[in-house]
Amino acid sequence: MLKIVSAEFIKGTINSKHFPQIGVPEFAFFGRSNAGKSSLINMLLNRKNLVKTGSKPGMTREINFFAVNAPAGKPPSVESFCIADLPGYGFAQVSQAERKRIDAMLYDYCTSRSTLKTVFLLMDIRRDPAEIELQTLQFFREHNIPTVLTATKADKLTKNEQTKQLLALASFFECSKDEIIVTSATKKTGREKLLQHLSACLTHQDVFSSPAK
């Protein structure tokens, strides 16, 4: 099992020219602004406050990069990787100009980041997915970016409710329910599966990604 021995904030930037180049595989986390992205990344990396959670969802306007198992001043190892925390969507009140800027930044990131191995597309398991999630998934697939559907906040539902929502998500995205990782930052649910996926990518093993319609 992949072990997290270090995790450090590298930088946040809004300009693709300033994206860090540390030469290790990268994994991005993306979703609605209130999907619990920061909490999930903190849980995955076993850190309480590495990724800052704002007082209001959708406050992040830049891409934040974190080096994992790659301490500064030391050469990367086979277990070194980078995490990119992408700005959320669909909640924050931003101007049209700001929205266009963020969209352009995300497009530049997704189409130019050669080290990007997977995008984890986060969705609050309590909410029904919308067309925007389907379009987002289709965009990633069209650009040959492996994408893993990740249901968050599972602790907010009973086991029966989780099963019902998981089946609804699988039906909506036309995939197997086993291709969706169910998580809870509070209960650390799904952490092992997330680490297994990261480990498989780092060791070049076959991994699944969710299909688009």
Side-chain angles (χ1 to χ4, degrees), residues 10 20-26 70 75-77 80-82 113-115 117:
I10 305 174
Q21 304 296 331
I22 61 175
V24 297
E26 190 160 291
S77 72
S80 298
F81 61 95
C82 183
R113 199 66 171 164
S114 61
T115 52
K117 300 302 179 183

Side-chain angles (χ1 to χ4, degrees), residues 30 40 118-123 129 133-134 136-138 140 146-152 166 169-183 194 197 208-212:
F30 187 56
L40 183 68
T118 299
V119 171
F120 292 93
L121 180 57
L122 276 55
M123 293 168 290
E133 276 81 28
L134 200 58
T136 299
L137 182 59
Q138 183 66 39
F140 291 141
T147 308
V148 175
L149 297 173
T150 307
T152 63
L166 185 59
L169 288 172
S171 176
F172 183 83
F173 290 106
E174 295 186 350
C175 67
S176 166
K177 63 181 180 62
D178 296 328
E179 295 178 89
I180 304 172
I181 298 180
V182 177
T183 69
L194 291 169
H197 184 92
F208 67 79
S209 60
S210 300

Side-chain angles (χ1 to χ4, degrees), residues 40-169:
L40 183 68
I41 297 175
N42 281 330
M43 180 271 282
L44 173 64
L45 300 181
N46 202 26
R47 301 292 189 273
K48 287 186 177 181
N49 298 301
L50 180 65
V51 185
K52 304 301 181 182
T53 56
S55 58
K56 295 181 180 180
M59 297 301 291
T60 302
R61 299 287 189 271
E62 58 190 10
I63 299 177
N64 289 312
F65 295 88
F66 302 85
V68 184
N69 295 342
K74 295 184 178 181
S77 72
V78 293
E79 292 191 338
S80 298
F81 61 95
C82 183
I83 279 184
D85 179 12
L86 308 183
Y89 63 90
F91 190 94
Q93 298 296 319
V94 298
S95 66
Q96 185 175 5
E98 179 70 356
R99 181 72 264 171
K100 287 183 177 179
R101 183 196 65 76
I102 294 175
D103 287 344
M105 176 181 64
L106 291 171
Y107 181 85
D108 286 345
Y109 172 80
C110 292
T111 57
S112 67
R113 199 66 171 164
S114 61
T115 52
L116 180 60
K117 300 302 179 183
T118 299
V119 171
F120 292 93
L121 180 57
L122 276 55
M123 293 168 290
D124 186 332
I125 195 171
R126 300 171 297 175
R127 313 301 180 203
D128 292 330
E131 187 65 22
I132 189 171
E133 276 81 28
L134 200 58
Q135 292 174 353
T136 299
L137 182 59
Q138 183 66 39
F139 171 83
F140 291 141
R141 297 289 289 179
E142 287 175 353
H143 289 83
N144 298 314
I145 301 172
T147 308
V148 175
L149 297 173
T150 307
T152 63
K153 304 186 180 184
D155 58 288
K156 304 296 185 182
L157 299 179
T158 66
K159 289 293 184 181
N160 286 339
E161 291 171 336
Q162 287 180 33
T163 299
K164 180 180 178 181
Q165 284 297 99
L166 185 59
L167 290 173
L169 288 172

